[in-house]
């Protein structure tokens, strides 16, 4: 009888089982929270990478257009209207374009062809814009560097001058952090 009693006493009590299950449950909850945070971090970084890629693509498109500018007919801190040479069409031609943002956070940055066959054609360069700014830079007649927020007659004179230089500085941001802000300056070439 003693051997049978010893064999029966070797198991777990109900309290030990409940305590073990509680500990396992707490550990599973902690692991689940960690897994959720890892997943959220991955999704956030993936969205950030996609956004950065969209912003870089929009910036590259604007720089490409600005490299072939033949005239700038209007411009403010959120828009620019310009003529650009397009050699990739069937007949080399100069087309008029506008790049604009309405200043509303989340609104798209738009590229409009003002004289495309069939009329005006507008397409978004990028959506969910937080900031888009243009600054107009030129050297005045005394050689001083001047930055203005819109196309001025002085900027236009520097752009048209064979000896002075004019540029456009672009700033584009798609998120509320400084890390997603892209900046570049395009010095506009001289055209015959």
């Amino acid at each position: 009888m003693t051997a049978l009693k010893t064999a029966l006493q070797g198991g777990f009590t109900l309290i030990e089982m409940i305590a073990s299950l509680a500990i396992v449950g707490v550990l599973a909850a902690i692991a689940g929270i960690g897994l959720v945070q890892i997943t959220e971090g991955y999704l956030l970084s993936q969205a950030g990478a996609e956004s950065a890629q969209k912003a870089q693509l929009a910036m590259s498109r604007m720089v490409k257009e600005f490299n072939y500018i033949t005239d700038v007919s209007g411009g403010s801190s959120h828009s620019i209207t310009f003529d650009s040479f397009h050699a990739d069409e069937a007949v080399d031609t100069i087309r008029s374009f506008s790049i604009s943002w309405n200043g509303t956070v989340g609104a798209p940055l738009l590229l409009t062809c003002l004289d495309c066959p069939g009329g005006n054609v507008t397409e978004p360069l990028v959506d969910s814009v937080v900031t888009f700014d243009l600054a107009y830079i030129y050297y005045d007649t005394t050689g001083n560097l001047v930055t203005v927020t819109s196309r001025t007659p002085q900027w236009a004179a520097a752009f048209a001058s064979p000896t002075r230089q004019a540029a456009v500085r672009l700033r584009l941001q798609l998120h509320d952090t400084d890390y997603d802000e892209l900046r570049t300056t395009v010095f506009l070439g001289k055209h015959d």
Side-chain angles (χ1 to χ4, degrees):
M1 179 100 153
T2 311
L4 181 61
K5 210 175 199 186
T6 307
L8 290 176
Q9 291 176 349
F12 294 104
T13 65
L14 182 58
I15 293 175
E16 290 173 333
M17 290 293 285
I18 292 172
S20 297
L21 288 174
I23 291 171
V24 168
V26 168
L27 291 175
I30 292 171
I33 290 170
L35 185 59
V36 167
Q37 288 176 341
I38 289 171
T39 303
E40 287 175 349
Y42 171 74
L43 293 175
L44 184 61
S45 71
Q46 184 179 12
E50 289 173 7
S51 178
Q53 187 176 25
K54 286 179 183 179
Q56 186 62 47
L57 183 62
M59 189 68 83
S60 296
R61 174 73 188 270
M62 288 186 287
V63 168
K64 179 183 177 194
E65 290 293 340
F66 288 2
N67 281 329
Y68 295 102
I69 281 181
T70 58
D71 188 28
V72 177
S73 58
S76 69
S77 61
H78 295 307
S79 68
I80 185 170
T81 303
F82 60 93
D83 294 339
S84 179
F85 179 74
H86 282 247
D88 55 342
E89 297 183 16
V91 176
D92 294 346
T93 188
I94 293 176
R95 295 230 180 266
S96 295
F97 291 93
S98 172
I99 294 176
S100 61
W101 179 58
N102 68 11
T104 304
V105 172
L109 178 63
L110 300 174
L111 172 67
T112 302
C113 178
L114 300 172
D115 61 355
C116 281
N120 291 356
V121 176
T122 300
E123 64 181 44
L125 282 174
V126 67
D127 54 0
S128 301
V129 174
V130 172
T131 301
F132 175 69
D133 291 322
L134 293 160
Y136 300 82
I137 303 166
Y138 67 97
Y139 288 96
D140 65 14
T141 55
T142 60
N144 295 317
L145 184 64
V146 179
T147 302
V148 291
T149 58
S150 65
R151 179 195 174 273
T152 63
Q154 295 84 0
W155 184 91
F159 175 76
S161 170
T163 58
R164 292 166 50 208
Q165 187 67 52
V168 176
R169 180 178 300 139
L170 303 161
R171 182 171 68 110
L172 176 63
Q173 183 178 3
L174 299 185
H175 290 289
D176 292 323
T177 64
D178 291 334
Y179 302 110
D180 294 324
E181 184 176 278
L182 297 176
R183 293 175 183 242
T184 192
T185 301
V186 181
F187 284 89
L188 305 177
K190 300 300 179 187
H191 302 282
D192 294 335

